[in-house]
Amino acid sequence: MEYNDDHHLLERVKAGDKNAFEQTFRKFYRKLRIYAFTFVKDNDNAEEIVQNVFCKIWERRDQLRLEGSLQSLLYRSVYNESLSLIRHQKVKTTFHAYQTRQMENTELDLGHQILATELNRHIQSAIAELPEQCRTIFQMSRFDKLKYQQIADALNISIKTVENQMGKALKIMRVKLVEFLPLIILLYLI
């Protein structure tokens, strides 16, 4: 049976009339798909939106309000479904971008740690090769953060000796670590 009046058609759909529902689908499907396409710019998504709208209408037919026209109900439903899909896609895109940044940062951090470990190993090796007094003074200055006067007092030597030994240590360290200068710069720029 064909229903000409949209209001009557909606009443029949609400009552569970499958023929009325199929007639509604055939009557509005193409126009609604074109309307959905204007939002989502994708035929598959537009078709899915319209199908979802019709499925929801059928599933919730007993809750349909008979106010307004059937056409406005369908277009409003397609509009809302389209916006929902667009929001969902934006969330997915944002989350994907966040995940990608996190993975890149993790890889950067891991790379940074590997470089720092490698550099530290070479620094420790260079320190170990310093003459004993030179090494002791260097470690007290750089690791214990003692001033030259404090080092001189602790080792019972002159401050001039501390200065000379630190100069010697720094010169030796520069020579031994010259090939790692790009690595040192890279670590501090990352």
Short mmCIF file of all heavy atoms in Angstrom, two decimals, residues 98-124:
data_model
loop_
_atom_site.label_atom_id
_atom_site.label_comp_id
_atom_site.label_asym_id
_atom_site.label_seq_id
_atom_site.Cartn_x
_atom_site.Cartn_y
_atom_site.Cartn_z
N TYR A 98 48.39 12.26 18.44
CA TYR A 98 48.97 12.20 19.78
C TYR A 98 49.81 10.93 19.94
O TYR A 98 50.94 10.99 20.44
CB TYR A 98 47.85 12.22 20.82
CG TYR A 98 48.32 11.91 22.23
CD1 TYR A 98 48.97 12.87 22.99
CD2 TYR A 98 48.11 10.65 22.79
CE1 TYR A 98 49.42 12.59 24.27
CE2 TYR A 98 48.55 10.36 24.06
CZ TYR A 98 49.20 11.33 24.79
OH TYR A 98 49.65 11.03 26.05
N GLN A 99 49.27 9.79 19.49
CA GLN A 99 50.01 8.53 19.58
C GLN A 99 51.30 8.59 18.79
O GLN A 99 52.34 8.12 19.25
CB GLN A 99 49.16 7.37 19.04
CG GLN A 99 48.41 6.62 20.09
CD GLN A 99 47.75 5.39 19.49
OE1 GLN A 99 47.27 5.39 18.37
NE2 GLN A 99 47.72 4.33 20.26
N THR A 100 51.24 9.16 17.61
CA THR A 100 52.43 9.28 16.76
C THR A 100 53.48 10.14 17.44
O THR A 100 54.66 9.77 17.48
CB THR A 100 52.05 9.88 15.39
OG1 THR A 100 51.06 9.05 14.77
CG2 THR A 100 53.25 10.01 14.48
N ARG A 101 53.04 11.28 18.02
CA ARG A 101 54.00 12.15 18.74
C ARG A 101 54.61 11.43 19.93
O ARG A 101 55.80 11.54 20.19
CB ARG A 101 53.30 13.43 19.21
CG ARG A 101 53.15 14.48 18.15
CD ARG A 101 52.75 15.83 18.74
NE ARG A 101 51.65 15.77 19.67
CZ ARG A 101 50.36 15.81 19.36
NH1 ARG A 101 50.00 15.92 18.10
NH2 ARG A 101 49.43 15.76 20.29
N GLN A 102 53.78 10.67 20.66
CA GLN A 102 54.27 9.93 21.81
C GLN A 102 55.32 8.91 21.39
O GLN A 102 56.35 8.75 22.06
CB GLN A 102 53.13 9.23 22.56
CG GLN A 102 52.24 10.17 23.34
CD GLN A 102 52.99 10.95 24.39
OE1 GLN A 102 53.30 12.12 24.20
NE2 GLN A 102 53.33 10.32 25.47
N MET A 103 55.04 8.19 20.30
CA MET A 103 55.99 7.19 19.82
C MET A 103 57.29 7.86 19.37
O MET A 103 58.38 7.36 19.67
CB MET A 103 55.38 6.38 18.67
CG MET A 103 54.33 5.40 19.15
SD MET A 103 53.47 4.54 17.81
CE MET A 103 54.83 3.82 16.92
N GLU A 104 57.18 9.00 18.68
CA GLU A 104 58.37 9.72 18.24
C GLU A 104 59.17 10.20 19.44
O GLU A 104 60.39 10.11 19.46
CB GLU A 104 57.99 10.90 17.35
CG GLU A 104 57.50 10.47 15.98
CD GLU A 104 56.90 11.62 15.18
OE1 GLU A 104 56.75 12.74 15.72
OE2 GLU A 104 56.55 11.39 14.01
N ASN A 105 58.46 10.73 20.46
CA ASN A 105 59.14 11.21 21.66
C ASN A 105 59.83 10.05 22.39
O ASN A 105 60.93 10.20 22.91
CB ASN A 105 58.17 11.92 22.61
CG ASN A 105 57.76 13.27 22.08
OD1 ASN A 105 58.42 13.84 21.21
ND2 ASN A 105 56.66 13.79 22.58
N THR A 106 59.16 8.90 22.44
CA THR A 106 59.75 7.74 23.09
C THR A 106 61.01 7.32 22.35
O THR A 106 62.03 7.03 22.96
CB THR A 106 58.73 6.57 23.12
OG1 THR A 106 57.59 7.00 23.86
CG2 THR A 106 59.32 5.34 23.78
N GLU A 107 60.92 7.31 21.02
CA GLU A 107 62.10 6.94 20.22
C GLU A 107 63.21 7.96 20.41
O GLU A 107 64.37 7.59 20.54
CB GLU A 107 61.72 6.84 18.73
CG GLU A 107 60.85 5.64 18.42
CD GLU A 107 60.28 5.68 17.01
OE1 GLU A 107 60.64 6.58 16.23
OE2 GLU A 107 59.46 4.80 16.70
N LEU A 108 62.84 9.26 20.46
CA LEU A 108 63.83 10.31 20.70
C LEU A 108 64.47 10.14 22.07
O LEU A 108 65.69 10.23 22.21
CB LEU A 108 63.17 11.68 20.62
CG LEU A 108 63.37 12.47 19.35
CD1 LEU A 108 62.58 13.76 19.39
CD2 LEU A 108 64.81 12.73 19.04
N ASP A 109 63.62 9.90 23.09
CA ASP A 109 64.14 9.71 24.44
C ASP A 109 65.07 8.51 24.51
O ASP A 109 66.12 8.57 25.14
CB ASP A 109 63.00 9.52 25.45
CG ASP A 109 62.23 10.81 25.70
OD1 ASP A 109 62.74 11.89 25.33
OD2 ASP A 109 61.12 10.74 26.25
N LEU A 110 64.68 7.42 23.87
CA LEU A 110 65.51 6.22 23.86
C LEU A 110 66.83 6.51 23.15
O LEU A 110 67.89 6.13 23.63
CB LEU A 110 64.77 5.07 23.18
CG LEU A 110 65.49 3.72 23.16
CD1 LEU A 110 65.80 3.26 24.58
CD2 LEU A 110 64.66 2.69 22.44
N GLY A 111 66.76 7.18 22.01
CA GLY A 111 67.98 7.56 21.28
C GLY A 111 68.85 8.47 22.11
O GLY A 111 70.08 8.32 22.14
N HIS A 112 68.22 9.41 22.80
CA HIS A 112 68.93 10.34 23.66
C HIS A 112 69.63 9.58 24.79
O HIS A 112 70.80 9.85 25.11
CB HIS A 112 67.93 11.36 24.23
CG HIS A 112 68.56 12.49 24.97
ND1 HIS A 112 68.79 12.42 26.31
CD2 HIS A 112 69.00 13.71 24.55
CE1 HIS A 112 69.34 13.56 26.71
NE2 HIS A 112 69.48 14.36 25.65
N GLN A 113 68.95 8.63 25.38
CA GLN A 113 69.53 7.83 26.46
C GLN A 113 70.70 7.00 25.98
O GLN A 113 71.72 6.89 26.66
CB GLN A 113 68.47 6.90 27.08
CG GLN A 113 67.44 7.62 27.91
CD GLN A 113 66.33 6.70 28.39
OE1 GLN A 113 66.29 5.53 28.03
NE2 GLN A 113 65.42 7.24 29.17
N ILE A 114 70.56 6.42 24.79
CA ILE A 114 71.65 5.61 24.23
C ILE A 114 72.88 6.48 23.99
O ILE A 114 74.00 6.11 24.35
CB ILE A 114 71.20 4.90 22.94
CG1 ILE A 114 70.18 3.81 23.27
CG2 ILE A 114 72.39 4.30 22.19
CD1 ILE A 114 69.47 3.22 22.07
N LEU A 115 72.65 7.66 23.39
CA LEU A 115 73.77 8.58 23.14
C LEU A 115 74.41 9.04 24.44
O LEU A 115 75.64 9.08 24.56
CB LEU A 115 73.28 9.79 22.34
CG LEU A 115 72.87 9.54 20.90
CD1 LEU A 115 72.30 10.82 20.28
CD2 LEU A 115 74.02 9.03 20.06
N ALA A 116 73.58 9.37 25.42
CA ALA A 116 74.10 9.82 26.71
C ALA A 116 74.90 8.71 27.40
O ALA A 116 75.96 8.97 27.98
CB ALA A 116 72.96 10.29 27.61
N THR A 117 74.41 7.48 27.32
CA THR A 117 75.13 6.34 27.92
C THR A 117 76.47 6.14 27.24
O THR A 117 77.49 5.93 27.90
CB THR A 117 74.27 5.06 27.81
OG1 THR A 117 73.04 5.29 28.48
CG2 THR A 117 74.98 3.87 28.41
N GLU A 118 76.47 6.21 25.93
CA GLU A 118 77.71 6.05 25.16
C GLU A 118 78.70 7.15 25.50
O GLU A 118 79.89 6.90 25.75
CB GLU A 118 77.39 6.06 23.66
CG GLU A 118 78.57 5.84 22.77
CD GLU A 118 79.14 4.44 22.83
OE1 GLU A 118 78.49 3.53 23.38
OE2 GLU A 118 80.26 4.25 22.33
N LEU A 119 78.23 8.38 25.55
CA LEU A 119 79.10 9.50 25.90
C LEU A 119 79.64 9.34 27.31
O LEU A 119 80.83 9.54 27.56
CB LEU A 119 78.35 10.82 25.76
CG LEU A 119 79.14 12.07 26.12
CD1 LEU A 119 80.37 12.21 25.22
CD2 LEU A 119 78.26 13.31 26.02
N ASN A 120 78.77 8.96 28.24
CA ASN A 120 79.20 8.79 29.63
C ASN A 120 80.28 7.71 29.74
O ASN A 120 81.24 7.86 30.51
CB ASN A 120 78.00 8.45 30.51
CG ASN A 120 78.35 8.47 31.98
OD1 ASN A 120 79.01 9.39 32.46
ND2 ASN A 120 77.95 7.43 32.70
N ARG A 121 80.11 6.65 28.98
CA ARG A 121 81.12 5.57 29.00
C ARG A 121 82.49 6.10 28.56
O ARG A 121 83.51 5.82 29.17
CB ARG A 121 80.65 4.43 28.10
CG ARG A 121 81.49 3.17 28.20
CD ARG A 121 80.88 2.01 27.43
NE ARG A 121 80.77 2.21 26.00
CZ ARG A 121 81.79 2.13 25.14
NH1 ARG A 121 82.99 1.86 25.58
NH2 ARG A 121 81.59 2.30 23.85
N HIS A 122 82.50 6.91 27.51
CA HIS A 122 83.75 7.47 27.00
C HIS A 122 84.34 8.50 27.97
O HIS A 122 85.57 8.58 28.13
CB HIS A 122 83.56 8.07 25.62
CG HIS A 122 83.40 7.03 24.55
ND1 HIS A 122 84.46 6.28 24.09
CD2 HIS A 122 82.31 6.60 23.88
CE1 HIS A 122 84.03 5.44 23.17
NE2 HIS A 122 82.72 5.60 23.03
N ILE A 123 83.49 9.28 28.62
CA ILE A 123 83.98 10.25 29.61
C ILE A 123 84.63 9.51 30.78
O ILE A 123 85.72 9.87 31.22
CB ILE A 123 82.83 11.16 30.09
CG1 ILE A 123 82.41 12.12 28.97
CG2 ILE A 123 83.23 11.93 31.35
CD1 ILE A 123 81.16 12.93 29.27
N GLN A 124 83.94 8.46 31.26
CA GLN A 124 84.51 7.68 32.38
C GLN A 124 85.84 7.04 31.99
O GLN A 124 86.78 7.00 32.79
CB GLN A 124 83.52 6.61 32.85
CG GLN A 124 82.26 7.17 33.49
CD GLN A 124 82.55 8.10 34.66
OE1 GLN A 124 83.45 7.86 35.47
NE2 GLN A 124 81.78 9.17 34.76
#
